[in-house]
């Protein structure tokens, strides 16, 4: 086909799940077996698209493709920050894809997004400026270029927002076809109504701003692509991604061969559709990219490249929604979904309403105004221009090094500020960061205010309020809660927004003394000094311990530094642990200079007394507020308790082991006679064999060959199968997955730093092959996807280099041990499809 183009835009985004007091995501049980939903979605979608698989009819991997190199995409900045920290390989694949697209087409696949996912038409002008500027800066720092476009959350737009986008130099945006109002050829005076999705989506349109008299301003415009609503809906809500050919054919169906002008069939959906919302959707996308579209004569292109080749020949006026408040892609009533009960919702039960939306927004609007007033009043004492400082604060968010923060204050602060005032300035800016975050759109999207998404935005509000309390004596929180009390939940036992805030949001707050308690318990009882806990650094200044009558006593002083605020605080602490079973701590911030030597003398005086007197003295020295395991964050608490339980179980494990050995002859006899093993014997056997299996698998990390040769894992698995025993393998399989991935990463490093030891390299590959062969024999569930990703990188690098003739004279030969083919096959690759590389001396 001639002039037939395809573009696929993916909007990748997750709400910021970090607890705002510790800047970390806590464990989310609903995401099991992953730690949290970010981690789970990354595995199912973001990773899967970075290493897109092309499969043969048997499910073997024929090839891998970085889908990001071919699709138009945006990532929410807060999500990219998480990916950069947690999955640097996937993050780098995203950046590499954009650079590749710039090289190939002159325009990048990546576009920016406002920093938080807020509904711009409903937000204050100053906040919109900050959101857009933060989005631009974040994009530039990551992708090393100016963004050509920006994704508008929920594609929410009106002419107020269009004007801002033009001001900041964006070339185009992507909207729903239902957001177009009327069109006409450039230069024509006759408009055609295209409302209700009737617009021709195969071409871009120019949208002009108008002056106060209603006359269009010729040099103030932005171009708009209205995506194909039919295909986009079938991708998001239908079964189109279940078959790669059907997916490609659907695009082909919309081309009109009689058109003389080039046609662009393009779609826009949540990126998570490809692999997370729609399992295997990433496979359909990979197939379309690598083979499906080209075999149908369709050329994949990004919006920027298409716009440069085929600029608009028509102009458009957008639908601004009721009262000009804006339109969006997921609300039939403009942007009402984020401010009132318009009838749009996701989830919920018959008879539910969303009347809670209006008071929720009113409460947050009230809080926003109060926080903004504090920021301006207090900020003027620190910054030359508080709003300009806020707009530039993104540079600190992206780089919190002391040097960069000093550079920020040198630029924006009044000269001569001491460290205390700089910390106050950072607190004010952090208060504003959380104030922006509390308008994240998903807080209104779903069916009830008790939902997790609404709780997440209320956490941001609570964190902002905590900071605000340091700058005002007014009870802003109480008035905020009065507004929230009008937001009635559909679930009677939840009550209203105020009760939800008090029951679910406030308990998420983590005062610093609670973190100190957690640090003390983990460092003292586990006898290791962690330097870091979440976004805080800990340093022991003084530390004394004493073991007495199976009890542990500890007393000391420590310094805590915030990575975010650079604030330094010192604490006194004490701990009593009876046989490491019951734990009690005392924590108190040191507000004035205190002689630790004097306190130590007092401690030494009482340590020989009875416990009641010791407790009274600790109450006197440190304060009568005490903590314990109940005050530790749930994830750490579970981990600590699990270790205690394991220690206790280890003490009694030998009893189970002895019972198992005593009953082995009986078990063998019953099995030989075809008699089912009694339940009691079965339970003991499963406990013992599961423990043995875990210990042996742990040994694979340090003594791989010796452990395999010993054959104990083989015997354990045989015993379990022959006696129909269920082994507990979840932790075992995590270790195996990690072990395989680690070995593959080491292999990649070995290949890169090849030092001529061909036998060492061959043996390294043989060891991984043996590991995979052994696991097949054991029948354990070994997750191979991440190791396949690394294998795909190795094959592409070495085979591509070979085919491109990089092994020519003058270029040092790169190793390619022939057993790599065997390893690739065992990892699920179709090696018959790979070109053979002459290993020469191997």
């Amino acid at each position: 086909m001639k002039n037939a183009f395809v573009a696929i835009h993916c909007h990748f985004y997750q709400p910021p799940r970090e607890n705002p007091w510790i800047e970390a995501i806590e464990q989310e049980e609903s995401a099991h077996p992953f730690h949290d939903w970010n981690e789970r979605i990354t595995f199912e979608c973001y990773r899967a698209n970075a290493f897109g698989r092309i499969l043969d009819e048997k499910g073997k991997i024929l090839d891998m493709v970085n889908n990001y190199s071919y699709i138009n995409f945006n990532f929410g900045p807060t999500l990219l920050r998480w990916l950069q920290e947690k999955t640097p390989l996937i993050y780098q694949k995203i950046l590499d894809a954009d650079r590749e697209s710039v090289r190939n087409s002159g325009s990048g696949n990546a576009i920016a997004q406002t920093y938080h996912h807020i509904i711009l038409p409903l937000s204050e002008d100053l906040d919109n400026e900050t959101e857009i500027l933060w989005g631009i800066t974040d994009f530039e720092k990551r992708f090393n270029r100016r963004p050509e476009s920006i994704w508008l959350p929920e594609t929410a737009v009106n002419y107020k927002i269009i004007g801002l986008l033009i001001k900041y130099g964006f070339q185009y945006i992507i909207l729903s076809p239902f957001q177009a109002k009327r069109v006409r050829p450039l230069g024509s005076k006759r408009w055609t109504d295209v409302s209700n999705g009737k617009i021709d989506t195969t071409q871009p349109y120019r949208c002009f701003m108008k002056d106060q008299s209603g006359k269009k301003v010729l040099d103030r415009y932005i171009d708009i692509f209205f995506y194909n609503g039919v295909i986009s809906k079938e991708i998001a809500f239908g079964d189109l991604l279940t078959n790669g050919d059907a997916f490609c054919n659907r695009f082909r169906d919309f081309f009109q061969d009689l058109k003389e002008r080039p046609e662009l069939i393009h779609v826009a959906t949540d990126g998570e559709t490809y692999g997370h919302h729609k399992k295997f959707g990433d496979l359909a996308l990979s197939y379309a990219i690598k083979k499906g579209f080209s075999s149908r004569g369709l050329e994949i292109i990004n919006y920027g490249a298409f716009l440069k080749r085929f600029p608009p020949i028509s102009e458009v006026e957008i639908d601004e929604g009721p009262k000009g408040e804006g339109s969006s892609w997921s609300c039939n009533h403009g942007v009402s979904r984020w401010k009132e009960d318009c009838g749009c919702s996701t989830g919920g039960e018959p008879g539910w309403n969303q009347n809670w939306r209006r008071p929720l927004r009113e409460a947050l609007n009230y809080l926003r105004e109060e926080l903004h007033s504090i920021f301006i009043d207090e900020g003027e004492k620190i910054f030359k221009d508080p709003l300009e400082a806020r707009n530039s604060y993104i540079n600190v968010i992206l780089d919190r090094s002391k040097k960069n923060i000093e550079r920020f204050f040198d630029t924006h602060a009044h000269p001569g500020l001491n460290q205390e005032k700089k910390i106050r300035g950072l607190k004010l800016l952090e208060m504003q960061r959380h104030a922006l975050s509390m308008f994240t759109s998903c807080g209104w999207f779903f069916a009830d205010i008790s939902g997790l998404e609404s709780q997440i935005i209320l956490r941001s509000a609570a964190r902002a309020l905590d900071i605000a309390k340091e700058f005002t004596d007014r009870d802003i929180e109480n008035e905020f809660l009065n507004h929230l009390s009008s937001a009635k939940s559909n679930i009677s036992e939840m009550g209203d927004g105020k009760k939800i805030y008090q029951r679910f949001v406030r308990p998420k707050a983590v005062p610093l003394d609670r973190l100190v308690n957690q640090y003390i318990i983990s460092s003292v009882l586990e006898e290791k000094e962690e330097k870091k806990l979440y976004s805080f650094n800990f340093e022991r200044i003084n530390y004394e311990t004493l073991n007495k009558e199976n009890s542990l006593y500890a007393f000391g002083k420590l310094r805590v530094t915030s990575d975010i605020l650079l604030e330094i605080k010192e604490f006194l602490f004490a701990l009593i642990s009876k046989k490491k079973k019951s734990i009690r701590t005392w924590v108190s911030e040191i507000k004035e200079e205190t002689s630790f030597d004097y306190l130590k003398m007092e401690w030494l005086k009482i340590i020989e007394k009875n416990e009641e007197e010791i407790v009274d003295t600790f109450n006197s020295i440190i304060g009568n507020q005490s903590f314990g395991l109940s005050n530790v964050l749930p994830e750490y608490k579970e981990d600590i308790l699990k270790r205690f339980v394991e220690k206790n179980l280890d003490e009694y494990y030998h009893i189970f082991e002895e019972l198992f050995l005593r009953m082995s002859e009986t078990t063998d006899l019953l099995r030989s006679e075809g008699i089912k093993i009694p339940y009691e014997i079965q339970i003991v056997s499963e406990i013992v064999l599961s423990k043995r299996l875990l210990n042996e698998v742990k040994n694979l990390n340090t003594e791989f060959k010796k452990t395999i040769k010993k054959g104990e894992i083989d015997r354990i698995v045989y015993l379990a199968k022959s006696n129909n025993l269920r082994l507990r393998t979840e932790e075992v399989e995590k270790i195996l997955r990690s072990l395989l991935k680690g070995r593959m990463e080491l292999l990649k490093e070995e290949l890169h730093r090849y030092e001529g030891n061909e036998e060492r390299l061959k043996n390294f590959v043989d060891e991984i092959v043996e590991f995979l062969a052994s696991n097949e024999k054991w029948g354990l569930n070994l997750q191979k996807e991440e190791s396949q990703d690394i294998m795909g990188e190795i094959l592409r690098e070495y085979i591509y280099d070979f085919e491109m003739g990089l092994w020519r004279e003058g270029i040092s030969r790169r190793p390619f041990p022939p057993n790599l083919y065997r390893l690739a096959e065992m990892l699920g690759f179709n090696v018959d499809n790979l070109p053979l590389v002459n290993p020469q001396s191997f």
Side-chain angles (χ1 to χ4, degrees):
M1 293 177 65
K2 186 179 180 181
N3 290 331
F5 298 91
V6 167
I8 297 172
H9 183 81
C10 291
H11 162 53
F12 295 102
Y13 171 75
Q14 291 300 307
R17 294 184 169 90
E18 288 83 358
N19 181 320
W21 286 271
I22 58 176
E23 299 291 334
I25 301 177
E26 298 175 84
Q27 187 170 10
E28 297 174 309
E29 289 295 332
S30 59
H32 185 80
F34 297 91
H35 176 270
D36 53 71
W37 278 101
N38 273 23
E39 190 176 290
R40 177 169 177 170
I41 295 169
T42 295
F43 182 82
E44 295 173 349
C45 177
Y46 310 139
R47 178 206 59 82
N49 283 289
F51 300 93
R53 275 114 166 110
I54 309 298
L55 306 180
D56 65 14
E57 64 279 0
K58 295 181 180 179
K60 293 282 188 179
I61 301 171
L62 289 167
D63 197 3
M64 282 188 173
V65 58
N66 184 348
N67 289 348
Y68 302 114
S69 296
Y70 298 89
I71 61 174
N72 218 83
F73 65 85
N74 72 280
F75 273 85
T78 53
L79 174 58
L80 272 182
R81 183 184 66 194
W82 185 90
L83 288 170
Q84 181 182 20
E85 179 184 346
K86 300 295 184 180
T87 61
L89 176 60
I90 297 169
Y91 174 75
Q92 191 59 49
K93 294 283 283 185
I94 293 166
L95 302 188
D96 291 345
D98 181 68
R99 294 191 186 102
E100 182 183 346
S101 63
V102 172
R103 286 194 303 269
N104 292 340
S105 69
S107 287
N109 289 350
I111 67 172
Q113 183 200 291
T114 55
Y115 193 79
H116 297 102
H117 204 271
I118 71 174
I119 303 301
L120 298 180
L122 294 178
S123 300
E124 296 295 326
D125 292 346
L126 292 174
D127 291 350
N128 288 337
E129 292 260 3
T130 300
E131 284 289 340
I132 290 171
L133 285 169
W134 283 17
I136 291 172
T137 303
D138 187 273
F139 185 93
E140 289 177 338
K141 295 283 187 183
R142 298 183 189 282
F143 294 95
N144 290 314
R145 65 178 179 85
R146 184 80 179 179
E148 299 173 63
S149 177
I150 189 166
W151 179 261
L152 303 175
E154 302 290 342
T155 72
V157 71
N158 58 10
Y159 278 105
K160 177 183 76 170
I161 304 306
I162 293 285
L164 267 179
L165 302 183
I166 293 171
K167 173 183 175 180
Y168 289 108
F170 292 108
Q171 298 173 28
Y172 72 89
I173 55 174
I174 306 158
L175 298 180
S176 160
F178 291 89
Q179 292 177 273
K181 183 178 181 181
R182 58 181 186 170
V183 300
R184 67 183 177 186
L186 288 171
S188 173
K189 294 184 178 181
R190 185 174 182 180
W191 289 99
T192 300
D193 176 30
V194 292
S195 57
N196 296 316
K198 297 192 294 287
I199 191 169
D200 177 5
T201 62
T202 65
Q203 59 176 294
Y205 297 84
R206 186 146 292 172
C207 182
F208 293 93
M209 289 297 291
K210 296 178 181 179
D211 62 21
Q212 291 183 346
S213 67
K215 182 179 179 181
K216 74 179 180 183
V217 183
L218 295 177
D219 62 349
R220 296 196 68 215
Y221 63 83
I222 195 168
D223 296 331
I224 303 178
F225 290 90
F226 297 92
Y227 61 78
N228 184 301
V230 175
I231 305 178
S232 297
K233 186 175 182 180
E234 290 174 357
I235 291 171
F237 305 107
D239 298 324
L240 198 55
L241 290 177
T242 58
N243 182 282
D245 283 313
F247 178 65
C248 296
N249 289 337
R250 200 70 181 104
F251 284 79
R252 176 65 183 84
D253 291 343
F254 277 84
F255 279 99
Q256 301 177 36
D257 297 330
L258 297 178
K259 280 191 177 182
E260 295 182 3
R261 179 173 169 78
E263 295 179 72
L264 177 68
I265 307 300
H266 57 108
V267 295
T269 62
D270 288 339
E272 290 78 15
T273 304
Y274 299 93
H276 172 60
H277 298 315
K278 302 290 183 180
K279 193 173 183 180
F280 308 127
D282 53 300
L283 298 180
L285 181 59
S286 299
Y287 169 79
I289 285 169
K290 193 70 177 179
K291 181 180 178 182
F293 286 143
S294 60
S295 67
R296 290 161 175 81
L298 309 179
E299 180 181 342
I300 301 174
I301 197 169
N302 65 43
Y303 287 121
F306 187 89
L307 199 58
K308 288 174 181 175
R309 290 170 63 178
F310 312 108
I313 60 172
S314 298
E315 64 176 298
V316 66
E317 287 187 349
I318 63 166
D319 179 0
E320 292 194 274
K323 302 177 185 179
E325 290 181 319
S327 59
S328 67
W329 75 344
S330 58
C331 178
N332 295 328
H333 317 91
V335 290
S336 296
R337 184 170 193 157
W338 298 276
K339 68 184 186 71
E340 60 194 17
D341 185 5
C342 66
C344 295
S345 68
T346 297
E349 301 292 336
W352 281 21
N353 65 70
Q354 282 72 53
N355 290 328
W356 53 269
R357 285 176 177 159
R358 183 181 295 278
L360 174 60
R361 182 161 289 276
E362 289 174 349
L364 291 172
N365 281 339
Y366 159 79
L367 182 55
R368 185 260 177 205
E369 292 304 316
E370 294 293 331
L371 297 176
H372 183 77
S373 177
I374 293 170
F375 174 70
I376 296 298
D377 292 344
E378 296 294 327
E380 286 177 343
K381 302 172 186 177
I382 297 169
F383 302 110
K384 302 169 190 173
D385 183 335
L387 290 173
E388 185 178 325
R390 185 178 82 162
N391 287 341
S392 296
Y393 185 56
I394 180 62
N395 293 294
V396 174
I397 294 172
L398 292 168
D399 177 7
R400 294 190 183 273
S401 65
K402 291 183 180 179
K403 183 177 180 180
N404 188 53
I405 292 175
E406 285 301 319
R407 189 182 303 120
F408 173 81
F409 279 102
D410 287 343
T411 302
H412 296 286
H414 297 304
L417 288 185
N418 59 25
Q419 187 65 13
E420 182 182 351
K421 288 187 176 179
K422 288 178 181 178
I423 289 172
R424 283 179 69 83
L426 289 173
K427 287 180 178 179
L428 287 169
L429 290 164
E430 277 298 296
M431 180 183 73
Q432 287 292 283
R433 177 169 73 95
H434 294 295
L436 289 168
S437 181
M438 69 190 187
F439 285 101
T440 300
S441 67
C442 37
W444 288 265
F445 192 83
F446 296 93
D448 194 71
I449 189 173
S450 63
L452 176 61
E453 294 79 12
S454 298
Q455 291 181 34
I456 286 174
I457 66 171
L458 289 174
R459 288 178 203 168
S460 295
R463 177 60 182 140
L465 277 164
D466 279 354
I467 300 174
K469 289 172 184 175
E470 299 188 36
F471 295 92
T472 181
D473 294 329
R474 292 176 51 234
D475 194 351
I476 300 172
E477 186 170 32
N478 187 55
E479 184 60 31
F480 171 64
L481 292 179
N482 287 338
H483 283 284
L484 271 185
S485 64
S486 298
K488 306 298 181 182
S489 170
N490 290 287
I491 304 170
S492 58
E493 57 266 31
M494 291 294 178
D496 55 40
K498 178 179 179 179
K499 292 178 180 177
I500 290 165
Y501 179 92
Q502 293 170 329
R503 179 179 175 186
F504 298 106
V505 176
R506 260 296 155 208
K508 281 291 182 180
V510 186
L512 194 49
D513 52 6
R514 184 178 170 193
L515 272 188
V516 172
N517 166 67
Q518 182 162 315
Y519 167 80
I520 295 164
I521 291 175
S522 62
S523 63
V524 174
L525 296 190
E526 297 177 30
E527 299 177 349
K528 62 179 182 179
E529 185 182 357
E530 295 182 38
K531 300 290 186 182
K532 183 112 176 153
L533 191 59
Y534 302 117
S535 57
F536 295 89
N537 294 289
F538 290 77
E539 178 188 358
R540 286 183 190 165
I541 303 172
N542 304 100
Y543 182 56
E544 303 289 338
T545 60
L546 178 70
N547 284 291
K548 175 188 172 185
E549 298 175 356
N550 291 321
S551 292
L552 171 68
Y553 297 85
F555 179 71
K557 177 181 176 183
L558 56 83
R559 181 177 294 123
V560 185
T561 306
S562 165
D563 286 343
I564 307 298
L565 301 173
L566 302 186
E567 187 173 33
I568 299 172
K569 292 189 175 184
E570 293 186 350
F571 291 84
L572 283 177
F573 70 87
L575 174 144
I576 300 176
S577 174
K578 293 183 179 180
K579 298 182 181 180
K580 296 189 178 183
K581 292 179 180 177
S582 66
I583 303 167
R584 187 176 179 184
T585 70
W586 287 257
V587 176
S588 177
E589 183 183 350
I590 301 174
K591 303 268 183 165
E592 54 189 38
E593 193 62 37
T594 305
S595 170
F596 185 79
D597 290 337
Y598 167 75
L599 295 175
K600 179 180 176 182
M601 288 175 58
E602 292 297 306
W603 180 66
L604 291 173
K605 287 179 186 177
I606 64 164
I607 206 65
E608 296 302 324
K609 298 181 179 180
N610 62 51
E611 186 172 316
E612 185 176 342
E613 291 177 291
I614 293 173
V615 168
D616 288 341
T617 306
F618 279 160
N619 287 337
S620 172
I621 294 175
I622 301 176
N624 57 12
Q625 182 181 16
S626 62
F627 299 89
L629 268 178
S630 62
N631 303 107
V632 172
L633 294 184
E635 188 172 344
Y636 265 69
K637 185 193 305 181
E638 183 180 335
D639 187 51
I640 292 169
L641 289 173
K642 184 179 177 183
R643 293 180 194 184
F644 284 169
V645 169
E646 286 176 349
K647 286 178 182 178
N648 290 331
L649 285 177
D650 285 343
E651 293 177 12
Y652 300 107
Y653 177 72
H654 69 277
I655 298 174
F656 292 109
E657 185 77 47
E658 186 178 340
L659 283 172
F660 176 77
L661 293 173
R662 284 185 183 180
M663 295 183 297
S664 58
E665 290 187 7
T666 303
T667 303
D668 291 341
L669 176 62
L670 293 172
R671 186 177 67 251
S672 66
E673 295 296 329
I675 300 173
K676 186 178 179 181
I677 298 173
Y679 174 76
E680 293 79 5
I681 298 178
Q682 179 182 331
I683 293 300
V684 170
S685 300
E686 288 175 351
I687 291 172
V688 171
L689 291 179
S690 294
K691 180 71 171 178
R692 285 185 184 178
L693 178 63
L694 180 60
N695 290 338
E696 289 298 319
V697 167
K698 286 179 178 177
N699 290 337
L700 288 172
N701 266 316
T702 54
E703 297 180 314
F704 178 81
K705 289 187 176 180
K706 183 177 178 181
T707 303
I708 293 292
K709 187 176 180 181
K710 188 170 67 171
E712 182 61 21
I713 297 178
D714 296 338
R715 284 189 285 274
I716 292 169
V717 171
Y718 170 76
L719 274 174
K721 287 181 178 178
S722 58
N723 288 289
N724 292 318
L725 302 175
R726 292 183 59 186
L727 296 174
R728 289 174 293 151
T729 60
E730 185 171 340
E731 190 173 350
V732 166
E733 286 162 359
K734 283 182 182 178
I735 294 171
L736 292 175
R737 169 191 171 186
S738 177
L739 193 153
L740 177 60
K741 182 184 176 184
R743 288 291 195 277
M744 290 300 298
E745 288 171 341
L746 286 173
L747 172 60
K748 191 175 180 181
E749 290 176 16
E750 287 285 330
L751 288 164
H752 280 172
R753 66 166 181 256
Y754 176 62
E755 298 173 349
N757 190 337
E758 297 171 349
E759 189 62 28
R760 169 185 164 85
L761 194 56
K762 180 178 179 297
N763 290 339
F764 199 96
V765 177
D766 280 341
E767 184 176 294
I768 303 175
V769 168
E770 185 177 5
F771 168 72
L772 288 167
S774 297
N775 189 78
E776 285 184 12
K777 183 172 54 176
W778 301 330
L780 297 171
N781 181 27
L782 177 60
Q783 201 173 60
K784 300 177 183 176
E785 286 89 344
E786 292 166 307
S787 295
Q788 289 172 342
D789 297 342
I790 299 169
M791 188 76 243
E793 293 277 280
I794 291 172
L795 293 174
R796 179 166 296 280
E797 182 175 349
Y798 287 87
I799 292 177
Y800 178 77
D801 283 357
F802 175 76
E803 290 185 315
M804 293 299 291
L806 296 185
W807 287 8
R808 58 186 181 274
E809 189 175 350
I811 302 293
S812 58
R813 180 176 63 81
R814 306 184 75 177
F816 195 95
N819 51 358
L820 268 181
Y821 283 106
R822 173 63 177 147
L823 176 56
E825 184 177 36
M826 296 189 74
L827 283 171
F829 286 80
N830 182 335
V831 295
D832 295 333
N833 193 56
L834 297 174
L836 290 174
V837 176
N838 181 5
Q840 296 184 13
S841 61
F842 268 87

